[in-house]
Structure formats: structure tokens, C-alpha cells
Amino acid sequence: MTHPSLLSLDDALSRIKSAVQPITGNERIVLNAALGRTLAEEILSPIDVPAYTNSAMDGYAIIGSDLPTEGKVSLKVIGTSSAGHPFDGELQPGQTVRIMTGAMLPLGADTVVMQEQVERNGEMARIGTGHRPGQHVRQAGEDLATGQPVLKPGRKLTPADLGSLASLGFGEVSVKRRLRVAFFSTGDELRSVGEPLAEGEIYDSNRYTLHAMLTRLGVELIDMGVIRDQRKAIEQAFLDAATIADTVITSGGASVGEADYVSETLAKLGQVDFWKIAIKPGKPLAFGTVNDTLFFGLPGNPVSAMVTFYQIVQPALLQQMGQDDSTPLRLQVTCSTNLKKRPGRTEFQRGLLQRDEQGRLTVSGCGAQGSHILSSMSKANCFIVLPANSTGVHAGEPVEIQPFAGLI
Ligand code: AMP
Ligand code: MG
């Protein structure tokens, strides 16, 4: 139930999705530089992992058919196999080799008995019943067989991926080049930190929030500062940005009919739509292209700018970066406070996810929800996502949340 003159969030997202192209251009980099980068090649395992059949336990390697069906069997200990120092020789029936976790199974052996379950007496090892032939052995290729696909292009490389690549012997990977994102703020009331404030002026905070959010995405940043609300300055800023960047993000002046030169300049230089999206905070968003460069004009209010970035711009940047669809995690938890809401727009209220005394996850509203109240965003650790038709929440009801932070 979206307000008729507004564009629904889903419509806005799908329009943007169909307009965005992944950037081209790859580079080969060393593993230690590849965290968070977008993989540009398919990785097939060049080897078996594990590379050789080995023991999952500290114990004794034996031939499975030597296991007794009743009573005990005595096997002769003929040597040791430890990690990096395999036993040189082949096991015969009636023999065993002392073996450590991860060590190569000797030729002939197919079973390991835990050391706690073996009575060692000089050269002999006594083993009772209750064992299974083949137990405690990691087979070669059990994790990955040679030629098996490991990682696909589009993958955002994680610490575990880099470990996996190292385990396969890869020292470098081919990744997409970094996305180049230029950004600037517009508004005559804005001053950069370090400058004195005259009456009616405020510090530009959006550029810092944007800088931080973009840093987390791993893009190449081009911070163009504050641009005055002057026709020439704004036109020049857009032209400069469009020649150096894949994407330009501005904040402020995105409202329809605003008395500044952003919309006028964009209408002249590019193909840009001015939308009113049915989200709160947020709503105004300019989206389009200037030459071949993608353009997003965020609302000026600090919380609106952040919500619009996370919900709309970030998915588009990931698509440009060639990354797999990574829909942010949503959880359903109990809300411990009442939440006010009018129907019509999807709301992203700021919430605090915590455990209650019983250890259950609950979320509470995070104080003042005004789109200019950036401290509510600092206090929060999640968005509470209230659908367009919601008329508010009573304490004790379930709500959907989107945590700000994820592991990996
Ligand atoms: P606008 O979208 O330009 O109408 O701005 C809406 C509100 O956000 C106004 O109160 C602006 O002063 C404020 N605002 C715009 N840009 C910024 C910025 N970069 N940092 C902090 N506040 C801003
Ligand atoms: Mg403005």
C-alpha cells in the first residue's frame, strides 16, 4: 500500500538494477591484498584437498581387517608417522604405526585407533573391540577433488576464501579493478570541518559518512569537497566527476523543485530522473547518468542520506563492482518498545538489538527518529524495517531487523 504519487522501494530498486552495468577491467593481485575484492575468475582446485590420506586423531594406524571381533589383538609397532614426516614403508597384517593428527597414513593402513583406546606395551600395541574399519581417516580429496570448482567469479573474497586459495597453492588472484566513486556535497550553508561557522551555517557531515560507507565497500574514493550552490561550480563539478569516476554521489539539493542548480545542471548534462521513493527517512533521490557515469543524488538530511545509501545506492554499487547478489541479512525478533508509524512508506527506524534477561534477542526503538538526528544512527546497531502498510508496532510484537554489522 504505497502512496500513489510515490515510487515503491522495490520499483526503484528494480529500475536501478536494470540500468546498471558491471564495470570491466581486472587486475592480478597477491592474496594479502585481496580481502573484500571481487573475484574475476573461476577457481578450480588444482590438487586434491587433503592432498594425501591422513589421520584425524593421534593414535595408531592399522589395517582394518586386523581389528578383533572379540577379545584383543596385539600388533607390532614398526614406526611413527608425524606431520611432515611420513612413515617410509608398507604396513603388513599384524603391524601398526604410531600416527599423529594430520600425518600421512602409511601404505597399507586404512584405519586409525585413538591413542586413549590402545594399551601400549613396549613394541606391542593392544587393541580391543568397538572399532570400525576405516575410522578416523581423512581421505585424499575429501574436501576438494582435483578440478572441482572452489570459487566463482563475482565472489566478494572473505578471510576463509583467502585461506582456501592459499591451501590450494594460489599466491595471486584475478579480481575486478576497484570501482571509482566521486562524491561531493552541495549547499551554501555547508562548511568543511576546520573552517569557522558563520550564522546559519553547519558542518558538512554527509561527506564523512559517505567516505566511511564507501571505504567499507572497498571502492576508490574521490572526495570533491563542498560545492557552492552556483551554476558554474556545480556544472564543473559534475563534468570533472564524470570524467574521472564510474559513479558520482552527491548529497543535498535532490528534492524536486529545489532552488539550487543541481537538478538544472543534471537536466542539461545527463539523463537523470528525480524520484520520490516511498521510504522514510529518505524519499527524494536523483538517479541517472552523466555521460557514461552513474549518478546518485542523495537527500541532504544526514539520516536520510545514510538510509538511502544503504538501501538503494549500495546494492547498485555492488552490482557495478560485479559482486554476487548479497541481500543483507534480515532477522525477525520481538520488539520491546512501541513504535509509531503512518501507513504509506517503508520505514527504516533505528533500533538497538540486545539480549533480554532470558537471553532472547529483542530490539527496541532508538530514541528520536527524525531524519536529521544522526546520533540515533550512532546509537543504533540495526534498522527496524517496517513495511509500507504497517500502522506501528506494539511492544511484544515481532519485527524485521537488518543488523548493521555482519561477521565475515
Ligand atoms: P537539502 O536536501 O539540500 O534540501 O538538505 C536537507 C537538509 O539537510 C538541510 O537541513 C541541509 O542543511 C542538510 N544537509 C544538506 N547537506 C548536508 C551535508 N552534507 N551535511 C549535513 N547536513 C546537510
Ligand atoms: Mg541544499
Side-chain angles (χ1 to χ4, degrees):
M1 201 182 66
T2 295
H3 192 281
S5 71
L6 302 179
L7 187 63
S8 78
L9 176 59
D10 284 345
D11 285 346
L13 288 172
S14 66
R15 285 190 197 188
I16 293 172
K17 191 169 185 171
S18 56
V20 172
Q21 292 297 325
I23 53 167
T24 53
N26 303 334
E27 52 181 327
R28 279 195 81 73
I29 56 172
V30 296
L31 282 193
N32 278 344
L35 182 65
R37 298 293 296 270
T38 314
L39 188 64
E41 59 181 336
E42 178 165 32
I43 303 288
L44 303 177
S45 182
I47 52 170
D48 280 339
V49 180
Y52 47 84
T53 301
N54 68 84
S55 178
M57 297 277 174
D58 285 347
Y60 288 82
I62 65 164
I63 300 169
S65 57
D66 272 349
L67 283 170
T69 47
E70 58 185 38
K72 293 196 171 179
V73 67
S74 277
L75 303 176
K76 184 165 187 219
V77 184
I78 58 163
T80 300
S81 178
S82 58
H85 303 283
F87 174 74
D88 185 18
E90 184 171 353
L91 214 61
Q92 302 299 326
Q95 296 180 333
T96 182
V97 159
R98 175 91 175 100
I99 195 163
M100 309 306 162
T101 305
M104 194 166 168
L105 222 65
L107 274 180
D110 59 11
T111 302
V112 171
V113 179
M114 272 170 83
Q115 63 186 15
E116 292 83 349
Q117 294 166 350
V118 174
E119 291 164 35
R120 178 75 186 263
N121 195 350
E123 281 200 324
M124 302 308 285
R126 268 159 65 84
I127 297 169
T129 54
H131 303 288
R132 186 178 45 78
Q135 70 180 16
H136 306 322
V137 170
R138 303 166 177 161
Q139 298 297 336
E142 181 180 290
D143 187 356
L144 289 171
T146 305
Q148 204 174 312
V150 185
L151 295 171
K152 294 217 177 316
R155 169 97 185 163
K156 177 180 182 166
L157 292 167
T158 65
D161 294 341
L162 299 178
S164 297
L165 288 165
S167 76
L168 300 176
F170 291 104
E172 295 181 343
V173 272
S174 175
V175 297
K176 287 252 180 203
R177 72 164 170 85
R178 279 186 202 278
L179 186 72
R180 279 189 287 274
V181 181
F183 57 102
F184 58 87
S185 301
T186 64
D188 278 345
E189 76 282 26
L190 301 177
R191 287 283 166 272
S192 289
V193 289
E195 291 173 10
L197 284 186
E199 197 160 274
E201 293 180 341
I202 59 168
Y203 285 120
D204 172 9
S205 60
N206 288 347
R207 223 154 29 87
Y208 293 84
T209 331
L210 268 174
H211 188 284
M213 294 187 294
L214 290 166
T215 299
R216 283 224 176 129
L217 288 183
V219 304
E220 200 178 306
L221 301 170
I222 304 148
D223 183 344
M224 298 178 64
V226 176
I227 308 293
R228 308 274 104 220
D229 271 334
Q230 290 163 358
R231 186 179 280 122
K232 273 227 130 23
I234 289 189
E235 197 170 314
Q236 197 55 51
F238 276 116
L239 286 173
D240 289 348
T243 54
I244 47 176
D246 301 299
T247 304
V248 182
I249 302 174
T250 67
S251 73
S255 319
V256 181
E258 193 170 332
D260 62 33
Y261 301 109
V262 172
S263 33
E264 192 186 308
T265 306
L266 284 168
K268 184 172 146 198
L269 296 180
Q271 248 112 55
V272 177
D273 289 324
F274 294 86
W275 291 339
K276 282 189 190 174
I277 303 174
I279 59 171
K280 187 179 172 190
K283 205 152 92 175
L285 175 76
F287 169 70
T289 50
V290 177
N291 301 329
D292 284 337
T293 302
L294 212 56
F295 168 74
F296 293 94
L298 301 177
N301 269 312
V303 183
S304 309
M306 285 191 83
V307 169
T308 310
F309 180 89
Y310 280 132
Q311 301 301 331
I312 299 176
V313 179
Q314 182 162 297
L317 298 182
L318 294 176
Q319 193 185 340
Q320 274 193 297
M321 291 160 79
Q323 281 188 11
D324 288 344
D325 253 353
S326 54
T327 318
L329 177 69
R330 285 199 186 187
L331 305 170
Q332 208 183 50
V333 300
T334 304
C335 191
S336 63
T337 50
N338 292 334
L339 302 176
K340 281 196 211 148
K341 180 182 180 300
R342 286 207 218 122
R345 295 200 258 165
T346 305
E347 283 197 18
F348 294 90
Q349 297 201 4
R350 272 71 72 210
L352 197 59
L353 182 67
Q354 282 171 317
R355 288 194 180 277
D356 66 13
E357 300 84 66
Q358 281 82 45
R360 289 171 307 209
L361 279 180
T362 58
V363 70
S364 53
C366 210
Q369 295 285 336
S371 60
H372 57 296
I373 303 195
L374 197 50
S375 62
S376 72
M377 215 43 216
S378 282
K379 281 190 209 128
N381 59 11
C382 66
F383 284 125
I384 305 174
V385 187
L386 302 176
N389 59 5
S390 157
T391 53
V393 174
H394 296 290
E397 289 178 353
V399 288
E400 285 238 313
I401 62 142
Q402 219 175 47
F404 286 168
L407 207 60
I408 296 191

